[in-house]
Amino acid sequence: MEKTPSVIDLSQSAAGIEQAFAQVPRLLVHFSSPTCSVCHSTLPQLMQVAQDHQVPVVDINIDTHPEVAAQRLVFTVPTILVLAEGKEMLRESRFIGYDRIDRLLGLMAED
């Protein structure tokens, strides 16, 4: 699978990543694991929704960044968070409702 370009520098500390989350007006965060076969299918679908709304996506590997997953209380993958200036607006886990993500991003764009 092709690596997703990130608007967040994932080489920094968990605190730095969280701080960077707060600086992006609208952000989709995809928590995944290389061993999660479902995650490999959810990311392309999420990328399409993100492209439709011109919202950046950050793909976080929970094996590489367990502290970020812990801070966000992510215990299963795939988990998708919709963030507004670092605040969680929506969480979808396991059975992802892309229609809910799409609708929320549409409402957030109206503000």
Side-chain angles (χ1 to χ4, degrees):
M1 179 162 71
E2 186 178 312
K3 183 163 173 42
T4 306
S6 184
V7 295
I8 306 289
D9 177 10
L10 296 178
S11 67
Q12 59 188 327
S13 68
I17 292 171
E18 282 293 328
Q19 189 174 29
F21 283 170
Q23 296 173 359
V24 180
R26 296 183 306 154
L27 181 65
L28 294 170
V29 184
H30 181 262
F31 287 92
S32 63
S33 169
T35 59
C36 171
S37 60
V38 176
C39 298
H40 297 294
S41 67
T42 58
L43 185 57
Q45 291 176 294
L46 184 64
M47 295 298 289
Q48 183 59 54
V49 172
Q51 184 178 19
D52 292 346
H53 292 279
Q54 299 178 342
V55 175
V57 175
V58 176
D59 184 27
I60 298 188
N61 179 338
I62 64 165
D63 297 334
T64 308
H65 300 289
E67 61 285 342
V68 176
Q71 284 180 326
R72 289 289 174 164
L73 302 174
V74 173
F75 301 112
T76 188
V77 290
T79 293
I80 297 171
L81 303 181
V82 178
L83 303 181
E85 297 176 348
K87 294 180 180 66
E88 185 177 322
M89 305 303 289
L90 178 68
R91 173 182 298 245
E92 293 286 328
S93 294
R94 299 182 69 141
F95 303 104
I96 310 298
Y98 295 99
D99 57 330
R100 289 187 293 266
I101 296 169
D102 183 57
R103 186 171 52 246
L104 179 59
L105 290 174
L107 291 171
M108 290 169 72
E110 293 175 5
D111 289 342

